[in-house]
Amino acid sequence: MYKNSINIPIPNGIHTRIAAMIVHKSTELKNKYGVNLYIRNLSTKEPLAISMLALISLKIKQNEVIEVSCREDSEKGQKSVLELCNFITKDIITNNPMLSKIDDIIEENTIAYEQIVKNIPVGILVIDTNGYITAMNDYSLKIVDKQLKDVIGRHIKDIIPTSDLLNVVLSKERRVGETQYINNHLVITNRSPIFSNNNVIGALGVFQDISELIGIKELNEKFSKILETSHDLICFIDERRIISYVNPSYEKHFGIKSSEIVGKDLLQISPNGLRIKVFNTKKPVENVVHRKDNISIVTTVEPLFIDGIFKGVISISKSVNELKDLVKKLEDSEEELRYYKEELKRHTKLSSSFSSIIGCSSSLKDCSIMAQKASQSTSTVLIRGESGTGKELIAKAIHNNSNRNDKPFVRVNCAAIPENLLESELFGYEKGAFTGAVKSKPGKFNIANGGTIFLDEIGDMPTSMQVKLLRVLQEREFESVGGLTTQIVDVRIIAATNRNLEKMIEEDKFREDLYYRLNVISIMLPPLRHRREDINLLVEHFIEKISTKLDKNVRDIDKKTLMYLQEYHWPGNIRELENIIERAINMCENSIITEKDLPFYIKNENSTNNNLINLRNGELQPLEEYEKEIITLAIRKYKSYNKTGKALGITHRTVSLKCKKYGIDINNLIWRQ
């Protein structure tokens, strides 16, 4: 390349008349030397081929330095550049007063034209015959988000990949009312060739952002947001087979930038794909699973018609893996919802704070203080106590008083779940992990993630599961049944038991390392017989609660009946007391509970009468009544047919038949304790 810099001595700079003279001289030199000449002022990066459009767009003023150049560094090229420089600096200057007046008029008109073009609220863009940008106004620069110095002399496709102005130069035909995407702006554009003496010297594009049109702005904004935030992979192809738009999800999924494919012919990008098929046939394809870049995707491609005129195609795709993830999340959500529905149906409704724990005994207060401190920690808690002492109530209170109270509280009864199902219940399973696993299912640890899991009856957990629980406690990770990936969870564990874990460790029925992991904060709940001073408060609470639930007008209990309750040994603890009060309210015929509303074993336990059989109103009852009462008491105490049979000296089958005969529901008796 050969170039030469000169200072413009021409008054008013290079305006229309001077530009015409320079173009004319440049044409003469091209015919003479066969060399194309270019011009550049110092504010632009790229030189422009000398033309009327280029010279006027550069707005070269008097005393401004410009650069004249040619692409080849030959003798002819040098002569051509130097002759044009001499022409501009010496030959073109004239003192003709008439020409000076004409120049002034031209300059005024040029300034007015520039002001109009600069401030008009539509985009104006001009290219020369080679597709190089010679002019862009402020509106168009705002749309492409660039400065003038960065675009003048650049090829139109480098700045606006979707531009079709060069085709307008070639076809010499005007095109009106077409839409296109420019830098994520949907615009409506008119394109026209520029003629001089019946020769095309460039093309003009005039466009406006559709969002600025009255009545369309809000709709376009919503449309743009839908496209930008959609997880679907969206691509538009216009009627010329040019890719006009891809959304951010498309870019992210395929690891490309829109500038790399927008504005290109679909035939170059994907010559054998579904989009080219629909473009050619004008017939849609729906939900086709295929592979693209070694990724399985589901694609729907639709042709676009406006007033019966074909306007291109739109493709909407989604990764198969993403669909699988969505299905899994849906299944997890359904499982979590099912769990919470079951929890809501539970008969015993748990309170949500320490204020609902009824009692004033010192032993209970010590437990409450310990539980409150535990709630401010994330350490594992082990709650111990007899059945029915309220271990779950304490666990729930700890959770609700912690910073995890807005996360799930999940209860698992380790004794109620068969050993072969416990692992899948806790950790979940994958589809096909075993016979009957027709779909994946999340475990209780998944559901409790971020919150608290309450492992009730931890002493009944099989030793095989104790090892896996120990890993969760130590590493905070696990694998689901049939799963290949390790899942990380953030779960606070609260365990509870009514069994002697220390003795179980000696008998190798409970792992010592798990015991020490669980027993970080230990809370020992006292049985009801050791806190008899709380019975009055508990009775009062249960009368109010259960009367409301049963819609009964029972408001109090007489002193003698209350004394019976205080003297009873309560093997079933608070749960048994609540059930006794509920029975009494059902039996009560007025507003005060009396001794006749209590079961006979409550009244007879502390009776001075040493007889095994007590009379009712001085009369004996039928033998079956005594048999039913004895079996009920035994079932309540021993909790199984086998143990009950041994205690009564009969077979477990006989116990089972007697229970069936008298309508004794063993599960209901045990649960209600």
Side-chain angles (χ1 to χ4, degrees), residues 110-164:
T110 300
I111 292 173
Y113 168 77
E114 289 176 354
Q115 292 296 320
I116 293 171
V117 171
K118 179 180 178 65
N119 296 299
I120 193 170
V122 294
I124 295 178
L125 185 152
V126 181
I127 63 169
D128 62 17
T129 53
N130 297 315
Y132 293 99
I133 297 173
T134 62
M136 286 185 75
N137 70 341
D138 289 352
Y139 185 99
S140 60
L141 291 170
K142 183 179 178 181
I143 291 291
V144 298
D145 193 23
K146 294 185 182 299
Q147 298 181 14
L148 187 63
K149 63 183 179 64
D150 298 322
V151 299
I152 295 297
R154 297 281 301 277
H155 197 276
I156 183 64
K157 287 288 187 179
D158 293 336
I159 305 302
I160 305 177
T162 59
S163 176
D164 202 36

Side-chain angles (χ1 to χ4, degrees), residues 22-44:
I22 295 174
V23 170
H24 180 70
K25 182 64 177 179
S26 177
T27 303
E28 287 183 354
L29 293 172
K30 180 179 180 180
N31 293 333
K32 180 179 179 180
Y33 295 111
V35 176
N36 290 315
L37 295 174
Y38 298 84
I39 192 167
R40 181 179 77 89
N41 61 7
L42 300 185
S43 64
T44 58

Side-chain angles (χ1 to χ4, degrees), residues 10 39 99 124 143 251-252 368-369 371 416 434 439 469 480 500 574 576 599:
I10 306 166
I39 192 167
L99 288 177
I124 295 178
I143 291 291
E251 294 178 276
K252 181 179 179 181
S368 296
I369 292 171
F434 49 82
K439 64 178 182 178
L469 177 61
S480 59
N500 187 333
I574 299 171
E576 184 182 9

Side-chain angles (χ1 to χ4, degrees), residues 8-15 17-18 60-63 88 92-95 99-100 103-104 107:
I8 300 299
I10 306 166
N12 294 329
I14 300 179
H15 49 72
R17 183 179 65 80
I18 301 299
I60 300 169
K61 305 299 181 184
Q62 185 178 10
N63 297 321
I88 295 172
I92 208 168
I93 300 176
T94 177
N95 292 321
L99 288 177
S100 295
D103 288 347
D104 290 340
E107 177 67 11

Side-chain angles (χ1 to χ4, degrees), residues 162-188:
T162 59
S163 176
D164 202 36
L165 270 180
L166 201 54
N167 286 331
V168 172
V169 173
L170 298 175
S171 67
K172 302 179 182 180
E173 294 179 353
R174 185 183 182 213
R175 292 161 63 168
V176 178
E178 296 182 336
T179 57
Q180 72 177 118
Y181 276 94
I182 301 179
N183 195 28
N184 287 329
H185 294 268
L186 181 62
V187 303
I188 185 166

